Amino acid sequence: MNSISVKTGRPYEIRIEKGLLTGTGALMKPLFEGRRLAVVSDSRVAPLYLRSLLDSLAAAGFEPPATFTVPEGEESKSLKMASVLYDFLAEHRIRRSDCLIALGGGVVGDLTGFVASTYCRGMCFVQVPTTLLAQIDSSVGGKTAVNLAAGKNMVGTFWQPSLVVCDPDTLNTLPEDIFAAGVAEAIKYGMIRDERLFALLEGGDARGHIDEVISRCVQIKRDIVQHDERDTGERMLLNFGHTLGHGVESDSRYALSHGFSVAIGMNMIVKASAARGITDPSVQARLEAACHRCGLPTSYDGDLERVLSLCRGDKKSEAGGLRAILLRRLGEGYIQPFTFEEFEAFVREGLA
């Protein structure tokens, strides 16, 4: 079993191993013995993996947990759904000393983490991510959030999980587009921090190297989060492709997944950077080719002006501007402040 320690304000372990879902109860037992549990999942994941998780918890001696299933999709990541979950937990007498388990992808993990951080002023939760995107990115680092009509992840908290259990076998049931969405985030890590990881991915066979891909991405995020848990400096590097990507995602009304939108956002910002001579054009060419091999889009047919307008409302924007992530070279990202007007001109001219 690969175990990666995250030394944040509340330290925890990320456990990675094929078949590990059936060992979740045993991993939790030393941490939560005697506490009641509630499991949150979604309508796609629950029929596939909820029974295995429940059997694991029963074998470890836990009481049968309350189970809450949300509809699959981004619309479940909302204040409305959080309110329904609060009422469910209160109805089942879940208390601050109990524990929530998020079984699913990024939507389930973000929603559960947000509720865990606010219900009874904060309770522990465990991430059991079942998508590639969640295993390598959203389950690690303690960011929780729900969406508003004004934009993605506009209401959230920093709240670290107590344990993350990654079973790569759960990726075997992912549709190819959802798996590809996770590869987009893995490509992001390679672009900003690890050229070797990018080279591994650009061949288009992430599944053939899945253990290495998951471990390396988690290690990169762990290192960055330990240096900047509250996202005030170095952690902003993880937003590469996300400012434009969130604009694309919102403008498409979530018809484009987060991972697909990030792929588009990365290509847009690298193309603009190459046009300005900041990034070598060969990096743009390699990124575009890698995305195509991995089944990811590289451009958006929607209205660029609407996307840029949505960027102004991004949660990471500041008074008068934002900080975009650019590349000095492949594997070396950096933070570049822009006024809104400068950023819009940078993107417009670069994509012309």
Side-chain angles (χ1 to χ4, degrees), residues 58-276:
F62 287 106
E63 297 177 22
T67 59
F68 183 85
T69 302
V70 303
E72 177 196 5
E74 194 74 23
E75 291 182 358
S76 288
K77 208 171 95 170
S78 66
L79 284 170
K80 179 180 179 180
M81 187 59 70
S83 180
V84 175
L85 180 50
Y86 291 139
D87 288 340
F88 173 86
L89 296 176
E91 178 184 348
H92 286 80
R93 299 181 181 178
I94 300 298
R95 298 292 180 256
R96 187 176 184 177
S97 59
D98 299 330
C99 180
L100 301 186
I101 303 174
L103 174 69
V107 168
V108 167
D110 280 3
L111 172 68
T112 305
F114 177 74
V115 167
S117 72
T118 49
Y119 183 74
C120 294
R121 294 195 176 98
M123 60 185 298
C124 63
F125 84 111
V126 169
Q127 290 268 22
V128 185
T130 59
T131 66
L132 179 59
L133 191 150
Q135 290 186 3
I136 67 174
D137 193 73
S138 62
S139 69
V140 181
K143 279 188 178 181
T144 79
V146 294
N147 303 330
L148 298 180
K152 187 176 172 70
N153 297 333
M154 293 291 285
V155 179
T157 63
F158 290 94
W159 191 252
Q160 301 293 343
S162 297
L163 174 69
V164 180
V165 180
C166 292
D167 181 351
D169 281 346
T170 62
L171 307 182
N172 294 336
T173 54
L174 288 183
E176 286 304 316
D177 60 330
I178 297 178
F179 183 82
V183 175
E185 290 284 1
I187 288 173
K188 174 197 76 177
Y189 286 113
M191 295 293 284
I192 63 168
R193 188 53 69 89
D194 189 341
E195 184 174 3
R196 182 179 173 278
L197 173 62
F198 178 82
L200 186 70
L201 294 164
E202 68 180 330
D205 184 25
R207 286 190 185 273
H209 306 278
I210 197 63
D211 291 349
E212 183 177 356
V213 169
I214 294 172
S215 294
R216 185 60 190 132
C217 290
V218 168
Q219 288 164 358
I220 292 171
K221 186 161 189 181
R222 183 272 312 273
D223 293 345
I224 291 175
V225 168
Q226 286 182 164
H227 294 153
D228 180 20
E229 183 174 355
R230 305 290 293 189
D231 201 14
T232 59
E234 182 183 359
R235 188 168 179 170
M236 292 182 184
L237 291 171
L238 298 172
N239 297 330
F240 176 62
H242 282 58
T243 297
L244 287 164
H246 282 164
V248 167
E249 189 176 3
S250 295
D251 186 60
S252 76
R253 298 181 182 275
Y254 303 107
L256 285 168
S257 69
H258 177 70
F260 276 33
S261 299
V262 166
I264 292 168
M266 289 191 293
N267 278 275
M268 291 171 74
I269 200 68
V270 171
K271 184 175 181 180
S273 299
R276 292 292 186 96

Side-chain angles (χ1 to χ4, degrees), residues 8-68:
T8 49
R10 178 165 54 187
Y12 58 97
E13 295 292 316
I14 301 166
R15 304 296 182 92
I16 306 168
E17 185 177 27
K18 291 179 179 177
L20 195 58
L21 177 64
T22 59
T24 302
L27 293 173
M28 290 180 59
K29 190 66 175 176
L31 300 175
F32 307 111
E33 187 170 4
R35 299 179 183 179
R36 300 180 66 231
L37 309 172
V39 178
V40 182
S41 191
D42 71 26
S43 56
R44 177 189 288 269
V45 174
L48 295 170
Y49 298 117
L50 180 58
R51 175 44 54 194
S52 292
L53 176 62
L54 295 180
D55 288 347
S56 170
L57 296 171
F62 287 106
E63 297 177 22
T67 59
F68 183 85

Side-chain angles (χ1 to χ4, degrees), residues 279-294:
T279 305
D280 192 286
S282 65
V283 175
Q284 178 195 344
R286 288 181 69 184
L287 172 61
E288 187 172 347
C291 287
H292 287 155
R293 291 191 194 101
C294 295

